[in-house]
Amino acid sequence: MGRSRVQPTAGVSNWGGYAVACGLYLLHTCPSHQRYLRKGLGLEPLASNQQLQDWRSNLPSVQKEEVFLKTLVRFGIRSGKTGNLAMEVDGLTFHPTHSDMISRLLEVTLGSTTQNPPDC
């Protein structure tokens, strides 16, 4: 039996990347999802407090993405879709569009591991 492959689909590529990061966080921090590490990859999950902090620090955040976009704007990097020199990605403004998406993904990701640890 071959391995299945999953390709995330998102209206904005950044959102797909954020979703992959959140999925990897859940895979490595949620007991219900860690079975995929064992069955799919043959890995034993090792979740020390330091590793959990490392996984959490790699999640997207509004603050990190805002700093990143401000840096791009400061260096004159324009939106690929509109050509605007602005805080936007794919023609959509960072506030509120992208910042809301990041916040919602984090809410779902972190809420699922803190509110319902057995089921994540």
Side-chain angles (χ1 to χ4, degrees):
M1 185 171 177
R3 292 185 181 177
S4 64
R5 296 176 191 228
V6 177
Q7 181 175 351
T9 303
V12 176
S13 60
N14 295 46
W15 297 350
Y18 304 152
V20 168
C22 291
L24 288 171
Y25 174 84
L26 288 173
L27 179 67
H28 287 275
T29 60
C30 170
S32 293
H33 290 89
Q34 287 180 355
R35 67 178 175 229
Y36 298 111
L37 287 175
R38 287 189 300 277
K39 289 182 179 180
L41 301 175
L43 300 175
E44 284 299 320
L46 302 169
S48 69
N49 284 336
Q50 180 62 45
Q51 287 169 323
L52 292 175
Q53 285 179 329
D54 289 345
W55 277 106
R56 189 172 181 144
S57 70
N58 286 301
L59 287 173
S61 76
V62 172
Q63 181 182 5
K64 285 191 284 190
E65 292 300 309
E66 186 172 29
V67 167
F68 180 70
L69 276 179
K70 282 181 179 179
T71 301
L72 292 176
V73 169
R74 190 173 75 242
F75 283 101
I77 308 299
R78 297 180 178 274
S79 171
K81 182 172 182 164
T82 65
N84 293 336
L85 185 58
M87 293 281 293
E88 66 179 42
V89 177
D90 292 347
L92 302 169
T93 60
F94 183 75
H95 290 289
T97 309
H98 292 283
S99 59
D100 285 353
M101 179 60 73
I102 295 167
S103 296
R104 289 188 300 181
L105 281 167
L106 288 174
E107 183 180 308
V108 169
T109 301
L110 298 175
S112 66
T113 57
T114 57
Q115 294 173 4
N116 302 310
D119 299 328
C120 298

